[in-house]
């Protein structure tokens, strides 16, 4: 084996930019992996290229890969992060249980006032105003927030939405989330516990499903994914599970 002309520390960035004149450096990285399994044999074989180089390179490579994968899992609009949070929402509403908030940061509670629907010529509102109580949670580093809402009559909904600081969803991301939702729906429908449900076609993506039976609160539950990425339209993203009105009294 020829000796390295210029033994040097191989940083994570250089691992991705090694040129043909650095074949020895590439060899250091390759043999670093083998070092995990063959230890002293490889160390002796690489006597010409200092052992500390590939030890340090291996440490930095593993640390960099771990950091990058953690950001990929928890940060951004990651599909698996969304799937896990939405499943928490869905199970909470379907099973009439409190949301599993393990690992989530409490963003606090608030109230939203819905004004009455007033039509000119009518003495009373067609629909009275009401209040919705909200509680928001977020996984640290994630672009998603989980919003639990309580409506009059104690009906509940739980939604996974984009955080205010997150970038707008793109058409490519829309396709990925739609595919993931359809996979989940297909699995649950095939298990015989859920059925497909139609949502009003008001966005570019409108996918729905729900359990065949009612939950413990006597409510029919609908879950859905609604996304808008159309040109000239406001971007929108929400996946939810909600109790419908008309719950049966216990």
């Amino acid at each position: 084996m020829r000796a390295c002309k210029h033994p040097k520390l191989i940083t994570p960035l250089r691992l991705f930019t090694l040129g043909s004149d650095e074949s020895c450096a590439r060899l250091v990285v390759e043999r670093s992996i083998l070092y995990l399994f063959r230890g002293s044999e490889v160390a002796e074989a690489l006597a010409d290229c200092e052992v500390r180089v590939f030890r340090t390179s291996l440490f930095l490579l593993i640390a960099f890969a771990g950091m990058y994968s953690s950001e990929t899992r928890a940060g951004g609009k990651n599909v698996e992060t969304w799937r896990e949070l939405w499943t928490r929402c869905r199970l909470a509403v379907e099973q009439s249980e409190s949301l599993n908030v393990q690992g989530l940061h409490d963003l606090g509670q608030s109230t939203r006032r819905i004004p009455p629907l007033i039509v000119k010529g009518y003495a009373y509102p067609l629909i009275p105003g009401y209040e919705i109580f909200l509680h928001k949670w977020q996984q640290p580093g994630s672009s998603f927030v989980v919003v639990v809402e309580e409506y009059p009559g104690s009906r509940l909904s739980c939604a996974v939405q984009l955080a205010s600081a997150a970038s707008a969803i793109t058409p490519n991301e829309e396709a990925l989330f739609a595919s993931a939702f359809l996979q989940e729906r297909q699995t649950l429908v095939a298990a015989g516990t859920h059925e497909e449900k139609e949502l009003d076609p008001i966005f570019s993506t409108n996918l729905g499903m729900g359990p065949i039976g009612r939950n413990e609160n006597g409510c029919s539950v609908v879950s859905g994914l609604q996304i808008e990425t159309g040109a000239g339209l406001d971007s929108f993203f929400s996946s939810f599970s909600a109790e419908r009105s008309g719950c049966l009294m216990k």
Side-chain angles (χ1 to χ4, degrees):
M1 177 185 299
R2 69 178 179 85
C4 292
K5 292 182 179 180
H6 306 287
K8 63 185 74 175
L9 177 65
I10 309 301
T11 66
L13 178 60
R14 289 186 62 77
L15 292 177
F16 295 95
T17 59
L18 294 173
S20 59
D21 60 334
E22 297 179 306
S23 57
C24 185
R26 289 198 302 273
L27 181 60
V28 167
V29 177
E30 294 170 0
R31 295 302 177 88
S32 297
I33 305 302
L34 293 177
Y35 182 76
L36 289 173
F37 303 98
R38 299 180 59 185
S40 59
E41 296 179 20
V42 176
E44 294 174 1
L46 292 178
D48 293 329
C49 295
E50 298 181 42
V51 174
R52 66 175 180 272
V53 174
F54 67 80
R55 281 178 173 171
T56 305
S57 301
L58 180 60
F59 172 79
L60 291 173
L61 178 61
I62 293 175
F64 178 76
M67 178 178 65
Y68 178 79
S69 62
S70 295
E71 291 176 353
T72 300
R73 289 193 301 269
K77 296 188 286 293
N78 183 271
V79 172
E80 290 308 313
T81 300
W82 162 80
R83 190 197 305 266
E84 195 269 338
L85 294 175
W86 176 65
T87 298
R88 293 195 196 193
C89 268
R90 183 177 61 78
L91 292 178
V93 177
E94 289 181 358
Q95 299 176 3
S96 302
E97 298 177 348
S98 299
L99 175 70
N100 175 9
V101 297
Q102 182 177 2
L104 303 183
H105 176 62
D106 189 344
L107 299 181
Q109 304 179 52
S110 61
T111 302
R112 184 168 78 242
R113 173 72 180 174
I114 306 300
L117 178 59
I118 299 175
V119 177
K120 186 177 180 179
Y122 286 81
Y124 302 98
L126 292 183
I127 301 177
Y130 58 92
E131 291 183 334
I132 300 176
F133 300 97
L134 299 88
H135 199 160
K136 294 185 178 182
W137 306 81
Q138 185 173 21
Q139 184 183 68
S142 170
S143 291
F144 300 106
V145 292
V146 179
V147 184
V148 178
E149 298 182 336
E150 181 177 348
Y151 290 79
S154 298
R155 288 190 301 111
L156 295 177
S157 76
C158 181
V160 179
Q161 303 170 352
L162 288 179
S164 57
S167 59
I169 190 167
T170 67
N172 287 340
E173 290 170 335
E174 178 180 23
L176 291 175
F177 284 108
S179 176
F181 184 93
L182 289 173
Q183 291 173 6
E184 290 291 313
R185 186 173 73 176
Q186 182 179 10
T187 299
L188 293 170
V189 170
T193 58
H194 290 67
E195 60 186 355
E196 296 183 15
K197 293 190 176 182
E198 296 293 331
L199 301 183
D200 293 335
I202 55 179
F203 300 106
S204 52
T205 292
N206 305 274
L207 300 173
M209 70 172 187
I212 294 176
R214 295 175 179 264
N215 65 8
E216 289 297 320
N217 292 333
C219 302
S220 174
V221 175
V222 60
S223 296
L225 174 66
Q226 295 180 310
I227 303 175
E228 182 57 70
T229 60
L233 299 175
D234 291 336
S235 178
F236 181 79
F237 178 95
S238 180
S239 59
F240 63 89
S241 288
E243 295 177 330
R244 284 179 160 174
S245 59
C247 300
L248 300 178
M249 300 296 293
K250 292 183 179 180

